[in-house]
Amino acid sequence: MAVDYIVIVAYLAGMLAMGWWGMRRARSKSEFLVAGRRLGPALYSGTMAAIVLGGASTIGGVGLGYQYGLSGAWMVFTIGLGLLALSVFFSARIARLKVYTVSEMLDLRYGGRAGVISGVVMWAYTLMLAVTSTIAYATIFDVLFDVNRTLAIVLGGSIVVAYSTLGGMWSITLTDMVQFVVKTIGVLLLLLPIAVVRAGGFGEMRAKLPTEYFDPLGIGGETIFTYVLIYTFGMLIGQDIWQRVFTARSDRTARWGGTVAGAYCLVYALAGAVIGTAAKVLYPNLAAADDAFATIVKHELPVGVRGLVLAAALAAVMSTSSGALIACATVANNDIWSRLRGAARTPDGEHDEVKGNRAFILLMGVAVICTAIALNNVVEALTVAYNLLVGGLLVPILGGLLWRRGTDRGALASVAAGGLTVVVLMITHGILANEPVYYGLLASLAAYAVVSLATRPTDAAVLAAWRERLAGRDPELVSDPVPAPQ
């Protein structure tokens, strides 16, 4: 595997080099957290696709294909649907707000009273999202270097923490663009056709597998409905996704670039399911479905190609991990810590904010690595993340965008009711149960509507300022004169 090792080591070295380059570019809070809000269509589309298609979408998507056949595509497919909905209906308005976090948006809409509690829920979501990707390093590095799980997590996680800490969003943008290209070549152009050929083609696959493996609804209607609730709606409100929307240089870039990325996700979903189905033909008795990706790569691909495909898997994991990490650190610093300490500033101003955000990325990175070592199940960790997000924050965020009558107290009640319901039901019914997100969402909606209607409407001045920001007419927002990269 010497050639494969060379490919992987060169890839990892390139990631660190881009982190160093990004450090020289990120000299202000805007540059560090949202790449100066200057990404053009090519960079925006590639990096948006990279962040939403992580280890769970790649390794987990192939695993679902191994377990359920073509209907295993639904998890990743609903992610793509969510990104399409966000891009078409909401991204332009979100980009015009010129904020850094979802909690800042809630403060603008409701008058500055929803930030800390929503920040805590969003922080928990982004932390667990980063953990899911970090856990996935164990599978990939075990195939590469035959190292134990803990060392694999520390090795992969440390590289992501290093380049993210150095250059913030600029480093992450550059590495994500490379990762997008590597994923496209490795998974779509190499692994997909090779897996199908090795399995004997679609005719042989149909002959050897039960017919339900080729039923598009074989995974079950209830499961698909749950995926829509968790992932499609989760794409609409996640800090990791919104922070990428904030990097777009214009409304048009956010809308059309996101639409292209969403369409790419739909293709990637089907590819993962087909690869998993082929793996079921080749290796019908694997101990765990999530082993399907690593097994087919290790035993069916030629030297060199195997290294590139494993680099693609690393790319998928690293892109989501780094995006979730900077989102987690941004929320922890800007929405929680800065509010608790009174947002005290030093004479260094923006430069000091860069140092503070860099320190929080390092701190959150260590927390993510330690949590990933303690946990073991990628799907469970991802489910916890999205249950908290959708159950706690979907209603007040979409309500703020769509319902004028929603109030700050209604938003706070919604976050508290939904979040607590989700946590209690995950404890009583199990993490993978459907009830937590179903009843959490209902509790959140009921609390939001009842409390909003029972309390005084949001101040007219707050709503007027909110409409100005949504329209991009706030006079305090000054555009960056530096030309936007393509």
Side-chain angles (χ1 to χ4, degrees):
M1 292 187 59
V3 175
D4 297 324
Y5 291 156
I6 292 172
V7 172
I8 296 297
V9 170
Y11 169 77
L12 295 176
M15 298 299 99
L16 291 173
M18 290 183 182
W20 183 260
W21 184 92
M23 182 178 67
R24 302 177 60 187
R25 183 100 184 221
R27 299 184 181 278
S28 69
K29 179 180 179 180
S30 176
E31 295 284 354
F32 191 82
L33 294 181
V34 291
R37 308 186 195 275
R38 294 188 283 117
L39 296 192
L43 280 178
Y44 181 85
S45 296
T47 57
M48 182 62 89
I51 188 177
V52 300
L53 297 174
S57 298
T58 302
I59 297 171
V62 171
L64 288 171
Y66 183 89
Q67 189 173 0
Y68 298 104
L70 297 185
S71 66
W74 273 105
M75 184 185 79
V76 184
F77 199 83
T78 55
I79 290 174
L81 292 178
L83 185 52
L84 285 171
L86 173 71
S87 301
V88 173
F89 299 112
F90 299 108
S91 62
R93 283 186 284 176
I94 292 170
R96 287 196 293 266
L97 290 173
K98 304 295 184 187
V99 295
Y100 293 102
T101 68
V102 174
S103 293
E104 289 181 35
M105 167 264 170
L106 292 173
D107 278 349
L108 284 172
R109 169 60 181 82
Y110 295 111
R113 299 181 182 89
V116 174
I117 186 171
S118 62
V120 170
V121 175
M122 189 63 77
W123 173 80
Y125 156 72
T126 53
L127 179 72
M128 294 307 296
L129 185 61
V131 166
T132 63
S133 296
T134 305
I135 290 173
Y137 293 126
T139 300
I140 301 168
F141 279 95
D142 177 59
V143 175
L144 283 172
F145 305 117
D146 194 26
V147 297
N148 68 55
R149 179 179 181 275
T150 298
L151 181 58
I153 289 173
V154 171
L155 178 59
S158 297
I159 293 170
V160 170
V161 171
Y163 73 69
S164 301
T165 302
L166 285 173
M169 187 59 82
W170 271 121
S171 294
I172 293 170
T173 294
L174 294 174
T175 54
D176 277 2
M177 196 63 199
V178 173
Q179 289 157 359
F180 169 74
V181 173
V182 171
K183 268 194 295 195
T184 301
I185 296 173
V187 175
L188 296 185
L189 302 184
L190 293 176
L191 181 57
L192 174 61
I194 290 174
V196 172
V197 170
R198 296 285 192 184
F202 285 104
E204 187 71 12
M205 290 163 63
R206 281 185 173 275
K208 290 187 175 181
L209 293 174
T211 55
E212 56 263 27
Y213 264 72
F214 302 92
D215 180 358
L217 302 179
I219 199 170
E222 184 178 359
T223 299
I224 295 171
F225 179 69
T226 303
Y227 284 160
V228 170
L229 277 185
I230 294 177
Y231 299 119
T232 301
F233 287 119
M235 285 293 106
L236 298 178
I237 58 174
Q239 169 67 26
D240 53 321
I241 309 302
W242 278 40
Q243 199 156 344
R244 292 309 173 96
V245 175
F246 300 152
T247 66
R249 73 180 183 188
S250 67
D251 297 356
R252 184 179 179 84
T253 296
R255 183 181 295 111
W256 293 109
T259 301
V260 171
Y264 179 90
C265 291
L266 303 184
V267 175
Y268 200 88
L270 184 58
V274 171
I275 292 167
T277 305
K280 184 67 175 180
V281 172
L282 295 167
Y283 306 96
N285 299 311
L286 292 179
D290 280 348
D291 292 338
F293 180 89
T295 301
I296 197 168
V297 169
K298 186 173 185 178
H299 297 292
E300 300 299 330
L301 300 185
V303 173
V305 173
R306 180 171 50 202
L308 184 58
V309 172
L310 287 171
L314 273 177
V317 173
M318 286 182 165
S319 57
T320 297
S321 181
S322 58
L325 177 59
I326 193 172
C328 179
T330 302
V331 170
N333 188 19
N334 291 267
D335 293 336
I336 302 174
W337 174 244
S338 65
R339 296 169 191 265
L340 294 177
R341 69 186 178 97
R345 290 180 176 268
T346 69
D348 291 327
E350 284 278 293
H351 179 66
D352 182 73
E353 291 192 64
V354 171
K355 290 194 298 183
N357 281 291
R358 185 172 281 134
F360 265 87
I361 289 179
L362 181 59
L363 179 64
M364 292 299 104
V366 173
V368 165
I369 291 172
C370 293
T371 306
I373 292 171
L375 297 178
N376 191 40
N377 190 300
V378 173
V379 175
E380 285 189 0
L382 191 66
T383 301
V384 170
Y386 276 97
N387 279 351
L388 287 171
L389 178 69
V390 174
L393 290 179
L394 176 68
V395 171
I397 292 172
L398 292 188
L401 289 169
L402 300 173
W403 191 38
R404 177 187 174 90
R405 187 60 180 80
T407 67
D408 58 335
R409 293 183 180 181
L412 289 171
S414 177
V415 174
L420 288 174
T421 302
V422 164
V423 171
V424 170
L425 290 180
M426 282 195 294
I427 293 172
T428 58
H429 288 68
I431 290 175
L432 296 180
N434 292 327
E435 287 83 358
V437 70
Y438 290 170
Y439 293 111
L441 196 54
L442 288 174
S444 180
L445 179 60
Y448 184 71
V450 171
V451 176
S452 290
L453 292 173
T455 54
R456 179 180 298 179
T458 304
D459 187 85
V462 172
L463 288 177
W466 165 252
R467 288 193 295 270
E468 289 295 304
R469 289 292 283 266
L470 277 179
R473 293 194 297 263
D474 193 315
E476 294 181 2
L477 301 178
V478 182
S479 60
D480 195 318
V482 181
Q486 302 298 316

